[in-house]
Amino acid sequence: MPNPKRRHSRARRDKRRAHDALSRPSLSNCPNCHEAKLPHRVCPHCGQYKGREVIEVGEV
Amino acid sequence: MRHNVGLRKLGRTSSHRMALLRNLTTSLFRHERLRTTLPKAKEMRPFAERLITIARRDDLHARRQVLRHITDKEVVKKLFGTLAPRFASRPGGYTRTLKLGPRNGDGADMAIVELVGSEPVFKKQKDEKQTRRERKAAARAKAEAEAAAAEDAAGGGAPEQDDAEPDEPKGEPKPGRKKKDD
């Protein structure tokens, strides 16, 4: 079986990982309770979407 | 060529997938709203809406066509009796999908699928849930009061505590907890 001849240096390792960063989820503000929420999703804090839609109680 | 005309397989064989779509759609027509994963919601939408469009024709053939997929006769009756007439003047788009975000546990994107114009039904379902909850709380309070009264009646002494404590968790909170999860 082929094996690595040399250990990779820190520089090589870190260069490989240069593009591995995670991106922050883009958040929007709930127009009802002003909590941060995912855009185009029902607000998990107040259960509202598009003003009138009250979905799930939030408590429980 | 049908290039790039995709559909989700949902990790199922075709018969399993078909059964899933039928079950989801039956549930949607029965309860007018359901919570599922976003890919399932997206797959069931055209399936369910096609059935509604067929049901709008409201003849025997249409009924038989729907019965191929929906085996529950009560649901078919409801579809033809109350749901299809409601959508008579709507050119498609009978369902609404609301995105809920990732599910705890496996991170699956969840969604609510509901029939457009079912909002009064949702309100009624919610009210019923609320009264059921209140009734259960009242029953629990009553049972607890009775248990306390029985304890008092048994009179003071060391055995009183030993008797009362194991009884209470057994009798009351357990059924209440179970039903709450439903």
Side-chain angles (χ1 to χ4, degrees):
Chain A
M1 286 282 278
N3 275 112
K5 186 170 187 176
R6 290 213 176 279
R7 171 198 173 98
H8 264 30
S9 67
R10 275 173 300 190
R12 278 196 171 276
R13 180 200 65 198
D14 293 348
K15 270 195 283 187
R16 180 175 65 242
R17 294 181 185 170
H19 300 287
D20 289 356
L22 297 174
S23 61
R24 225 168 243 283
S26 59
L27 296 174
S28 65
N29 277 318
C30 172
N32 182 55
C33 66
H34 307 295
E35 287 272 3
K37 71 172 190 70
L38 287 170
H40 309 294
R41 304 288 191 285
V42 175
C43 175
H45 303 283
C46 63
Q48 290 229 356
Y49 190 64
K50 295 207 171 159
R52 57 194 179 80
E53 305 266 17
V54 187
I55 296 128
E56 13 143 25
V57 206
E59 327 121 35
V60 185
Chain B
M1 287 189 289
R2 287 185 64 251
H3 285 178
N4 296 327
V5 183
L7 84 171
R8 293 174 188 79
K9 295 184 178 176
L10 301 173
R12 287 158 172 84
T13 62
S14 67
S15 54
H16 187 181
R17 192 161 51 240
M18 198 62 199
L20 173 78
L21 288 177
R22 287 171 174 169
N23 286 336
L24 280 173
T25 305
T26 304
S27 291
L28 176 67
F29 292 157
R30 187 179 292 140
H31 303 289
E32 311 199 7
R33 157 186 258 202
L34 58 89
R35 176 198 295 241
T36 181
T37 64
L38 186 56
K40 284 179 201 155
K42 285 183 171 179
E43 276 304 297
M44 72 174 285
R45 181 192 169 99
F47 186 81
E49 299 204 348
R50 201 168 300 134
L51 288 185
I52 295 176
T53 304
I54 292 171
R56 280 172 44 172
R57 266 200 340 253
D58 196 21
D59 52 27
L60 184 61
H61 182 49
R63 203 170 277 264
R64 284 174 177 164
Q65 280 180 312
V66 169
L67 276 163
R68 287 173 195 167
H69 297 297
I70 311 284
T71 50
D72 187 323
K73 286 186 180 161
E74 284 304 312
V75 171
V76 174
K77 210 181 281 176
K78 180 184 176 189
L79 176 63
F80 279 79
T82 67
L83 299 182
R86 188 206 289 171
F87 297 123
S89 61
R90 186 180 285 274
Y94 316 118
T95 68
R96 180 184 295 129
T97 305
L98 301 164
K99 296 178 180 121
L100 291 179
R103 167 165 69 189
N104 285 341
D106 65 356
D109 228 352
M110 298 301 286
I112 282 177
V113 182
E114 59 186 30
L115 294 173
V116 174
S118 291
E119 287 75 12
V121 180
F122 304 147
K123 178 142 195 330
K124 213 176 120 216
Q125 285 170 350
K126 204 179 152 195
D127 291 347
E128 277 167 8
K129 212 174 180 183
Q130 183 64 28
T131 54
R132 230 179 302 143
R133 211 173 276 156
E134 277 161 14
R135 214 176 297 141
K136 209 163 288 157
R140 202 178 308 130
K142 202 180 148 208
E144 259 161 37
E146 272 169 14
E151 208 175 294
D152 286 345
E160 177 199 316
Q161 279 185 333
D162 291 336
D163 284 343
E165 269 171 28
D167 271 355
E168 267 175 42
K170 224 187 279 167
E172 296 114 35
K174 253 189 196 167
R177 233 178 270 155
K178 230 183 242 168
K179 273 160 203 169
K180 226 183 239 172
D181 288 340
D182 294 341

Short mmCIF file of all heavy atoms in Angstrom, two decimals, chain B residues 40-74:
data_model
loop_
_atom_site.label_atom_id
_atom_site.label_comp_id
_atom_site.label_asym_id
_atom_site.label_seq_id
_atom_site.Cartn_x
_atom_site.Cartn_y
_atom_site.Cartn_z
N LYS B 40 -40.65 16.21 1.76
CA LYS B 40 -41.91 15.48 1.62
C LYS B 40 -43.04 16.45 1.28
O LYS B 40 -43.92 16.14 0.47
CB LYS B 40 -42.24 14.74 2.93
CG LYS B 40 -41.41 13.49 3.12
CD LYS B 40 -41.76 12.81 4.44
CE LYS B 40 -40.63 11.90 4.87
NZ LYS B 40 -40.64 11.70 6.32
N ALA B 41 -43.02 17.61 1.93
CA ALA B 41 -44.05 18.61 1.65
C ALA B 41 -44.03 19.00 0.19
O ALA B 41 -45.07 19.11 -0.47
CB ALA B 41 -43.84 19.83 2.55
N LYS B 42 -42.82 19.19 -0.34
CA LYS B 42 -42.72 19.63 -1.72
C LYS B 42 -43.14 18.53 -2.69
O LYS B 42 -43.66 18.81 -3.77
CB LYS B 42 -41.27 20.05 -2.01
CG LYS B 42 -40.92 21.39 -1.39
CD LYS B 42 -39.52 21.82 -1.76
CE LYS B 42 -39.28 23.28 -1.32
NZ LYS B 42 -37.91 23.70 -1.64
N GLU B 43 -42.89 17.27 -2.30
CA GLU B 43 -43.28 16.17 -3.17
C GLU B 43 -44.79 15.95 -3.17
O GLU B 43 -45.38 15.61 -4.18
CB GLU B 43 -42.59 14.87 -2.72
CG GLU B 43 -41.20 14.69 -3.26
CD GLU B 43 -41.14 14.76 -4.79
OE1 GLU B 43 -41.76 13.90 -5.43
OE2 GLU B 43 -40.50 15.68 -5.31
N MET B 44 -45.41 16.13 -2.00
CA MET B 44 -46.84 15.82 -1.92
C MET B 44 -47.72 16.91 -2.52
O MET B 44 -48.87 16.66 -2.87
CB MET B 44 -47.26 15.56 -0.47
CG MET B 44 -47.31 16.80 0.39
SD MET B 44 -47.97 16.44 2.02
CE MET B 44 -49.70 16.26 1.65
N ARG B 45 -47.19 18.10 -2.65
CA ARG B 45 -48.02 19.21 -3.11
C ARG B 45 -48.67 18.95 -4.46
O ARG B 45 -49.91 19.01 -4.58
CB ARG B 45 -47.17 20.48 -3.14
CG ARG B 45 -47.89 21.71 -3.58
CD ARG B 45 -46.89 22.84 -3.86
NE ARG B 45 -47.55 23.94 -4.51
CZ ARG B 45 -47.96 25.04 -3.88
NH1 ARG B 45 -47.76 25.17 -2.60
NH2 ARG B 45 -48.57 26.01 -4.53
N PRO B 46 -47.89 18.62 -5.51
CA PRO B 46 -48.56 18.38 -6.80
C PRO B 46 -49.49 17.18 -6.75
O PRO B 46 -50.55 17.19 -7.41
CB PRO B 46 -47.40 18.15 -7.78
CG PRO B 46 -46.19 17.95 -6.96
CD PRO B 46 -46.43 18.56 -5.63
N PHE B 47 -49.12 16.18 -5.98
CA PHE B 47 -49.95 14.98 -5.86
C PHE B 47 -51.31 15.34 -5.26
O PHE B 47 -52.37 14.99 -5.80
CB PHE B 47 -49.22 13.96 -4.98
CG PHE B 47 -49.90 12.64 -4.89
CD1 PHE B 47 -49.77 11.69 -5.89
CD2 PHE B 47 -50.68 12.33 -3.78
CE1 PHE B 47 -50.39 10.47 -5.80
CE2 PHE B 47 -51.32 11.12 -3.69
CZ PHE B 47 -51.17 10.18 -4.70
N ALA B 48 -51.28 16.07 -4.15
CA ALA B 48 -52.53 16.43 -3.47
C ALA B 48 -53.36 17.38 -4.33
O ALA B 48 -54.59 17.23 -4.43
CB ALA B 48 -52.21 17.07 -2.12
N GLU B 49 -52.70 18.32 -4.96
CA GLU B 49 -53.45 19.32 -5.72
C GLU B 49 -54.10 18.70 -6.96
O GLU B 49 -55.19 19.10 -7.36
CB GLU B 49 -52.54 20.49 -6.10
CG GLU B 49 -52.00 21.18 -4.84
CD GLU B 49 -51.58 22.61 -5.07
OE1 GLU B 49 -51.49 23.03 -6.23
OE2 GLU B 49 -51.37 23.31 -4.07
N ARG B 50 -53.42 17.69 -7.53
CA ARG B 50 -54.02 17.02 -8.68
C ARG B 50 -55.31 16.32 -8.26
O ARG B 50 -56.31 16.36 -8.98
CB ARG B 50 -53.02 16.01 -9.26
CG ARG B 50 -53.31 15.65 -10.70
CD ARG B 50 -52.14 14.89 -11.31
NE ARG B 50 -50.91 15.68 -11.31
CZ ARG B 50 -49.72 15.19 -10.93
NH1 ARG B 50 -49.59 13.94 -10.53
NH2 ARG B 50 -48.66 15.97 -10.98
N LEU B 51 -55.29 15.71 -7.08
CA LEU B 51 -56.50 15.03 -6.59
C LEU B 51 -57.63 16.03 -6.37
O LEU B 51 -58.80 15.74 -6.67
CB LEU B 51 -56.20 14.27 -5.30
CG LEU B 51 -55.36 13.00 -5.44
CD1 LEU B 51 -55.25 12.29 -4.11
CD2 LEU B 51 -55.94 12.08 -6.50
N ILE B 52 -57.30 17.19 -5.86
CA ILE B 52 -58.35 18.20 -5.65
C ILE B 52 -58.93 18.65 -6.98
O ILE B 52 -60.14 18.79 -7.13
CB ILE B 52 -57.79 19.40 -4.85
CG1 ILE B 52 -57.39 18.96 -3.44
CG2 ILE B 52 -58.82 20.51 -4.78
CD1 ILE B 52 -56.75 20.04 -2.61
N THR B 53 -58.04 18.84 -7.94
CA THR B 53 -58.52 19.26 -9.26
C THR B 53 -59.45 18.21 -9.86
O THR B 53 -60.49 18.55 -10.45
CB THR B 53 -57.32 19.50 -10.20
OG1 THR B 53 -56.46 20.45 -9.59
CG2 THR B 53 -57.78 20.01 -11.55
N ILE B 54 -59.10 16.93 -9.67
CA ILE B 54 -59.99 15.87 -10.14
C ILE B 54 -61.31 15.94 -9.39
O ILE B 54 -62.39 15.83 -9.99
CB ILE B 54 -59.32 14.49 -9.94
CG1 ILE B 54 -58.12 14.35 -10.88
CG2 ILE B 54 -60.31 13.37 -10.19
CD1 ILE B 54 -57.28 13.12 -10.60
N ALA B 55 -61.23 16.16 -8.09
CA ALA B 55 -62.45 16.16 -7.27
C ALA B 55 -63.38 17.30 -7.64
O ALA B 55 -64.59 17.21 -7.47
CB ALA B 55 -62.07 16.25 -5.79
N ARG B 56 -62.83 18.37 -8.18
CA ARG B 56 -63.68 19.50 -8.56
C ARG B 56 -64.66 19.13 -9.66
O ARG B 56 -65.71 19.77 -9.82
CB ARG B 56 -62.81 20.68 -9.03
CG ARG B 56 -62.23 21.45 -7.87
CD ARG B 56 -61.23 22.47 -8.32
NE ARG B 56 -61.66 23.23 -9.50
CZ ARG B 56 -61.00 24.28 -9.98
NH1 ARG B 56 -59.92 24.70 -9.39
NH2 ARG B 56 -61.43 24.90 -11.05
N ARG B 57 -64.32 18.10 -10.45
CA ARG B 57 -65.24 17.67 -11.52
C ARG B 57 -66.51 17.08 -10.95
O ARG B 57 -67.57 17.15 -11.56
CB ARG B 57 -64.54 16.64 -12.41
CG ARG B 57 -63.89 17.25 -13.61
CD ARG B 57 -63.63 16.26 -14.73
NE ARG B 57 -63.62 14.87 -14.33
CZ ARG B 57 -62.51 14.13 -14.23
NH1 ARG B 57 -61.34 14.66 -14.47
NH2 ARG B 57 -62.59 12.87 -13.89
N ASP B 58 -66.38 16.44 -9.79
CA ASP B 58 -67.53 15.96 -9.04
C ASP B 58 -68.44 15.04 -9.85
O ASP B 58 -69.64 15.24 -9.91
CB ASP B 58 -68.35 17.15 -8.49
CG ASP B 58 -69.31 16.70 -7.40
OD1 ASP B 58 -69.06 15.63 -6.81
OD2 ASP B 58 -70.30 17.40 -7.16
N ASP B 59 -67.87 14.03 -10.51
CA ASP B 59 -68.71 13.00 -11.12
C ASP B 59 -68.20 11.63 -10.66
O ASP B 59 -67.20 11.54 -9.95
CB ASP B 59 -68.73 13.12 -12.65
CG ASP B 59 -67.33 13.16 -13.25
OD1 ASP B 59 -66.41 12.60 -12.60
OD2 ASP B 59 -67.15 13.75 -14.32
N LEU B 60 -68.89 10.61 -11.08
CA LEU B 60 -68.56 9.26 -10.59
C LEU B 60 -67.15 8.87 -10.99
O LEU B 60 -66.40 8.29 -10.19
CB LEU B 60 -69.59 8.26 -11.13
CG LEU B 60 -69.41 6.83 -10.61
CD1 LEU B 60 -69.55 6.78 -9.10
CD2 LEU B 60 -70.40 5.90 -11.28
N HIS B 61 -66.78 9.20 -12.22
CA HIS B 61 -65.45 8.84 -12.68
C HIS B 61 -64.38 9.52 -11.84
O HIS B 61 -63.38 8.91 -11.44
CB HIS B 61 -65.29 9.22 -14.16
CG HIS B 61 -63.96 8.84 -14.73
ND1 HIS B 61 -63.42 7.59 -14.57
CD2 HIS B 61 -63.05 9.56 -15.43
CE1 HIS B 61 -62.24 7.55 -15.17
NE2 HIS B 61 -61.98 8.72 -15.69
N ALA B 62 -64.60 10.81 -11.55
CA ALA B 62 -63.65 11.55 -10.73
C ALA B 62 -63.51 10.88 -9.37
O ALA B 62 -62.40 10.69 -8.85
CB ALA B 62 -64.11 12.99 -10.56
N ARG B 63 -64.66 10.49 -8.82
CA ARG B 63 -64.66 9.86 -7.50
C ARG B 63 -63.83 8.57 -7.54
O ARG B 63 -63.05 8.29 -6.64
CB ARG B 63 -66.10 9.57 -7.08
CG ARG B 63 -66.31 9.45 -5.60
CD ARG B 63 -67.78 9.42 -5.28
NE ARG B 63 -68.36 10.75 -5.21
CZ ARG B 63 -68.53 11.42 -4.05
NH1 ARG B 63 -68.17 10.88 -2.93
NH2 ARG B 63 -69.06 12.61 -4.06
N ARG B 64 -64.00 7.81 -8.60
CA ARG B 64 -63.25 6.55 -8.70
C ARG B 64 -61.77 6.81 -8.90
O ARG B 64 -60.92 6.09 -8.37
CB ARG B 64 -63.80 5.72 -9.86
CG ARG B 64 -65.11 5.06 -9.45
CD ARG B 64 -65.76 4.34 -10.60
NE ARG B 64 -66.98 3.69 -10.14
CZ ARG B 64 -67.94 3.23 -10.95
NH1 ARG B 64 -67.80 3.36 -12.26
NH2 ARG B 64 -68.99 2.65 -10.46
N GLN B 65 -61.46 7.86 -9.66
CA GLN B 65 -60.05 8.20 -9.85
C GLN B 65 -59.38 8.57 -8.53
O GLN B 65 -58.24 8.19 -8.27
CB GLN B 65 -59.93 9.37 -10.83
CG GLN B 65 -60.06 8.94 -12.29
CD GLN B 65 -59.93 10.13 -13.21
OE1 GLN B 65 -60.57 11.15 -13.00
NE2 GLN B 65 -59.12 9.98 -14.24
N VAL B 66 -60.11 9.31 -7.70
CA VAL B 66 -59.55 9.69 -6.40
C VAL B 66 -59.43 8.47 -5.50
O VAL B 66 -58.45 8.30 -4.77
CB VAL B 66 -60.41 10.79 -5.75
CG1 VAL B 66 -60.00 11.01 -4.30
CG2 VAL B 66 -60.29 12.08 -6.52
N LEU B 67 -60.42 7.58 -5.57
CA LEU B 67 -60.42 6.40 -4.71
C LEU B 67 -59.25 5.45 -5.02
O LEU B 67 -58.92 4.59 -4.20
CB LEU B 67 -61.74 5.64 -4.84
CG LEU B 67 -62.86 6.19 -3.94
CD1 LEU B 67 -64.21 5.70 -4.38
CD2 LEU B 67 -62.62 5.85 -2.48
N ARG B 68 -58.63 5.64 -6.18
CA ARG B 68 -57.42 4.85 -6.44
C ARG B 68 -56.34 5.18 -5.42
O ARG B 68 -55.53 4.32 -5.08
CB ARG B 68 -56.86 5.20 -7.82
CG ARG B 68 -57.65 4.68 -8.98
CD ARG B 68 -57.06 5.25 -10.26
NE ARG B 68 -57.97 5.08 -11.37
CZ ARG B 68 -57.83 5.69 -12.53
NH1 ARG B 68 -56.81 6.52 -12.72
NH2 ARG B 68 -58.68 5.49 -13.50
N HIS B 69 -56.33 6.44 -4.98
CA HIS B 69 -55.26 6.87 -4.09
C HIS B 69 -55.71 7.03 -2.65
O HIS B 69 -54.95 6.77 -1.73
CB HIS B 69 -54.68 8.20 -4.58
CG HIS B 69 -54.06 8.11 -5.94
ND1 HIS B 69 -52.97 7.32 -6.18
CD2 HIS B 69 -54.40 8.67 -7.12
CE1 HIS B 69 -52.66 7.42 -7.47
NE2 HIS B 69 -53.51 8.24 -8.05
N ILE B 70 -56.91 7.50 -2.47
CA ILE B 70 -57.41 7.72 -1.11
C ILE B 70 -58.41 6.60 -0.81
O ILE B 70 -59.51 6.58 -1.36
CB ILE B 70 -58.13 9.09 -0.99
CG1 ILE B 70 -57.26 10.20 -1.57
CG2 ILE B 70 -58.50 9.36 0.46
CD1 ILE B 70 -56.13 10.62 -0.73
N THR B 71 -58.01 5.69 0.06
CA THR B 71 -58.87 4.53 0.30
C THR B 71 -59.90 4.78 1.40
O THR B 71 -60.83 4.01 1.55
CB THR B 71 -58.02 3.32 0.69
OG1 THR B 71 -57.14 3.71 1.74
CG2 THR B 71 -57.22 2.83 -0.49
N ASP B 72 -59.72 5.84 2.16
CA ASP B 72 -60.66 6.16 3.23
C ASP B 72 -61.89 6.85 2.64
O ASP B 72 -61.80 7.98 2.15
CB ASP B 72 -59.98 7.06 4.27
CG ASP B 72 -60.85 7.27 5.49
OD1 ASP B 72 -62.08 7.39 5.32
OD2 ASP B 72 -60.31 7.33 6.60
N LYS B 73 -63.04 6.17 2.68
CA LYS B 73 -64.22 6.70 2.01
C LYS B 73 -64.72 7.98 2.68
O LYS B 73 -65.30 8.85 2.02
CB LYS B 73 -65.32 5.64 2.00
CG LYS B 73 -65.01 4.57 0.97
CD LYS B 73 -66.14 3.58 0.81
CE LYS B 73 -65.73 2.55 -0.24
NZ LYS B 73 -66.53 1.33 -0.15
N GLU B 74 -64.54 8.07 4.00
CA GLU B 74 -64.97 9.28 4.70
C GLU B 74 -64.19 10.49 4.19
O GLU B 74 -64.75 11.56 3.98
CB GLU B 74 -64.75 9.12 6.21
CG GLU B 74 -65.77 8.22 6.88
CD GLU B 74 -67.20 8.71 6.65
OE1 GLU B 74 -67.44 9.91 6.84
OE2 GLU B 74 -68.04 7.89 6.24
#
